[in-house]
Amino acid sequence: MKKQEIKQMSVEELTEKLAEFKKQHADLKMAHFVTPLENPLQIRKVRRTVARLATELTNRENQ
């Protein structure tokens, strides 16, 4: 997800997406541990999306 898309979301949407992407990240890591993924860069992409969502939530809470 792009940073601009994230800024347009509400806090509830951010929370839902964060939970969704955290689950996806855990699933990808487990799948990669069992049998290597074709594209392991997916893990990095999802991890960074989780970080972007968490950062935006933190910024909104501090304002």
Side-chain angles (χ1 to χ4, degrees):
M1 296 186 78
K2 302 274 184 183
K3 190 172 182 178
Q4 200 168 36
E5 293 173 1
I6 294 172
K7 284 196 176 274
Q8 294 174 353
M9 292 179 160
S10 68
V11 175
E12 294 82 22
E13 290 174 327
L14 284 172
T15 308
E16 290 173 12
K17 285 288 186 184
L18 182 60
E20 178 183 322
F21 277 105
K22 279 186 176 181
K23 182 180 181 334
Q24 184 180 356
H25 182 253
D27 292 343
L28 281 172
K29 281 178 60 175
M30 183 58 85
H32 186 62
F33 181 73
V34 174
T35 55
L37 296 173
E38 252 183 63
N39 187 4
L41 294 179
Q42 290 174 326
I43 297 171
R44 182 191 313 168
K45 186 177 180 184
V46 172
R47 184 180 71 232
R48 289 182 179 175
T49 301
V50 167
R52 282 188 194 104
L53 290 167
T55 301
E56 184 62 29
L57 271 174
T58 303
N59 287 341
R60 289 188 187 187
E61 288 173 1
N62 291 336
Q63 286 182 354

